[in-house]
Amino acid sequence: MTKLVRGFRDILAPQSDYFTEIESAARRVFKLAGADEIRIPTVELKELFVKSTGDTTDIVQKEMYSFEDAGGRTLALRPEGTPGVVRAYIENNFAANSPVQKLFYIGNMFRAERPQAGRYREFEQIGLEYIGSAAPAADAETILILKDIVTAFGIKNYSVKINSLGCPECRPAYKQELVKYLKKDFDALCDKCKERLERNPLRVLDCKIDGPRIAANAPKQKLCATCVEHFEEVKNLLNGRIDYTVDENLVRGLDYYTRTVFEFQAGDGAQNAIAGGGRYDGLVKSMGGPQVPAVGFAMGVERAIAARGEIAPKTENKIFVISLDKTCNAKAFEIMYSLRVKNICADGGLFDKNLKTQLKAADKAGAAYALLLGPDELAKNIFTLRDFKTGSQKEIKFENIYTEVKSLL
Ligand code: HAM
């Protein structure tokens, strides 16, 4: 038998119901905020991610599923949604026609990470890219939209961390200062941080191993006046609307961020980020578009579901249709199907099985009632309705089935 690929999963009910639930909650919140859905392809040219996600990131360095297609192009399965959305923004010429866009997406992402709890090779993200506004209000709104989705889905225990990474004016000097500081005790760094020092020194600050030790004494980011003003305004707009803490060591793992970054965290495991995002004012331009500021987030759906806990979704009251004889099958089928057409959840149709098996199936399916049709009933133009909860039975005339069933559910 050919088995599932390691790191990939089948998502079965009721898990699959939780996915639908969070997606519906998100769609509703996005629509209230005036966001439009964008559906971007799963596959892009690999260079898109190298240029945008960033070639210093773990994602590009070692986690991309890339391959050559028959035409000799090097493609990659998308590891995140932001690059594709920005590419679409540029290619569809939004900047000239309608520069401010709130674009949301729901889709699967692929990262060849070491599989472990909360870390999958294929996972779903619900994301928003708010492109075209440099205002602190856009940062605050983005964070609050994420909060509204988290709340609508029913996640209660989570914390929100925010930080400002500065801009091209103030960050390079800080980076230099930090590298100088870290080099003083280079040998004490973990292997990953030794690499990070070259590629992305800020990430040493949120390393799970070295971070806490380093961050306590390392030089702190000194934001320029405009970045300070921006960050203060973001905080003012968030105050009273969401509980958050400023974490000066929150740096995030992607290259494109400027100024505000944030993470929603639940639990204290290694994979505790249920969502993350931030401002990326330089990305549209660096990908070949005009200078357009932007901010966005992506939420990991699997992690959000784990954070909420498995609350069984409300199931619809179900009718199970049972036929007791070949001569009754056509009528039983007709009723089952006509109930569905009238928006009633009607299951059944296992007419080649005996009564006992059909009743067992009804029980497994969680049906509240069964409609039974045998030759006696057929002769009298009735169904027998069995209430599984009380065990009671009653007869219903064919012509009254819909109204009777409707009144029960
Ligand atoms: P990210 O932090 O790489 O950001 O991913 C966002 C979220 O996706 C994480 O917080 C986590 O919940 C989930 N996630 C990431 N990797 C995995 C995995 N292997 N298995 C399960 N869940 C995972 C981004 O992707 C940015 N595009 C966010 C953004 C949008 N920034 C601006 N706009």
Side-chain angles (χ1 to χ4, degrees), residues 80 82 111 113 118 120 123 125 129 252 256-257 273-274 296 300:
E80 55 148 343
T82 312
R111 296 183 191 177
E113 301 194 71
Y120 307 106
F123 59 97
Q125 281 189 346
E129 309 302 344
R252 308 257 315 123
Y256 45 65
Y257 292 117
I274 53 175

Side-chain angles (χ1 to χ4, degrees), residues 298-402:
M299 174 165 61
V301 170
E302 288 80 357
R303 292 193 195 170
I305 291 171
R308 188 197 63 167
E310 308 207 349
I311 302 166
K314 259 216 213 132
T315 46
E316 280 195 54
N317 266 333
K318 201 185 265 185
I319 300 280
F320 205 91
V321 181
I322 293 174
S323 169
L324 304 174
D325 189 80
K326 245 193 208 147
T327 55
C328 309
N329 291 358
K331 187 69 192 173
F333 188 85
E334 179 195 316
I335 293 297
M336 180 175 77
Y337 191 65
S338 67
L339 287 174
R340 271 184 215 167
V341 169
K342 292 196 156 109
N343 233 357
I344 287 174
C345 180
D347 200 352
L350 305 176
F351 304 153
D352 58 338
K353 308 272 193 269
N354 64 27
L355 174 62
K356 202 171 148 203
T357 312
Q358 291 188 66
L359 283 172
K360 252 196 196 157
D363 185 45
K364 262 225 156 120
Y369 300 93
L371 278 174
L372 298 109
L373 186 69
D376 291 348
E377 281 98 348
L378 191 63
K380 291 197 277 177
N381 287 340
I382 56 151
F383 265 90
T384 296
L385 180 101
R386 181 180 295 187
D387 182 334
F388 284 120
K389 229 188 245 154
T390 62
S392 63
Q393 298 204 142
K394 72 172 185 176
E395 295 183 345
I396 303 180
K397 287 201 181 112
F398 283 169
E399 67 262 31
N400 296 336
I401 286 210
Y402 174 67

Side-chain angles (χ1 to χ4, degrees), residues 39-211:
R39 296 186 183 224
I40 43 167
T42 314
V43 170
E44 302 268 3
L45 287 172
K46 180 182 178 184
E47 63 174 56
L48 178 80
F49 304 112
V50 176
K51 281 190 203 154
S52 50
T53 307
D55 55 5
T56 76
T57 60
D58 286 351
I59 296 177
V60 166
Q61 290 262 319
K62 49 191 181 215
E63 293 170 1
M64 274 216 285
Y65 281 99
S66 57
F67 57 96
E68 205 167 284
D69 75 354
R73 287 169 285 254
T74 306
L75 307 179
L77 298 183
R78 59 184 183 196
E80 55 148 343
T82 312
V85 175
V86 172
R87 179 202 45 69
Y89 180 90
I90 299 170
E91 270 193 290
N92 290 287
N93 212 9
F94 277 121
N97 302 320
S98 183
V100 180
Q101 289 291 326
K102 281 182 209 157
L103 301 169
F104 80 85
Y105 50 93
I106 298 177
N108 292 10
M109 307 295 157
F110 302 83
R111 296 183 191 177
E113 301 194 71
R114 198 164 60 81
Q116 51 188 290
R119 187 176 275 188
Y120 307 106
R121 292 185 164 174
E122 179 178 12
F123 59 97
E124 184 172 297
Q125 281 189 346
I126 294 177
L128 172 74
E129 309 302 344
Y130 186 167
I131 306 177
S133 171
D139 310 41
E141 194 186 336
T142 301
I143 293 171
L144 292 171
I145 288 172
L146 176 54
K147 178 204 154 192
D148 288 345
I149 295 173
V150 163
T151 310
F153 182 55
I155 301 174
K156 296 206 167 68
N157 296 318
Y158 66 95
S159 58
V160 177
K161 291 190 171 156
I162 67 170
N163 190 23
S164 176
L165 296 179
C167 67
E169 294 295 314
C170 53
R171 191 158 38 170
Y174 174 59
K175 245 188 187 172
Q176 259 182 4
E177 198 187 344
L178 185 65
V179 170
K180 210 167 133 196
Y181 174 83
L182 294 172
K183 277 191 173 158
K184 278 198 276 185
D185 207 3
F186 183 77
D187 289 341
L189 295 175
C190 75
D191 289 347
K192 262 195 160 176
C193 281
K194 281 181 180 144
E195 263 179 58
R196 285 179 180 130
L197 192 60
E198 291 303 319
R199 295 195 273 119
N200 194 348
L202 260 58
R203 291 231 63 200
V204 173
L205 297 174
D206 76 352
C207 168
K208 293 268 175 333
I209 304 166
D210 291 334

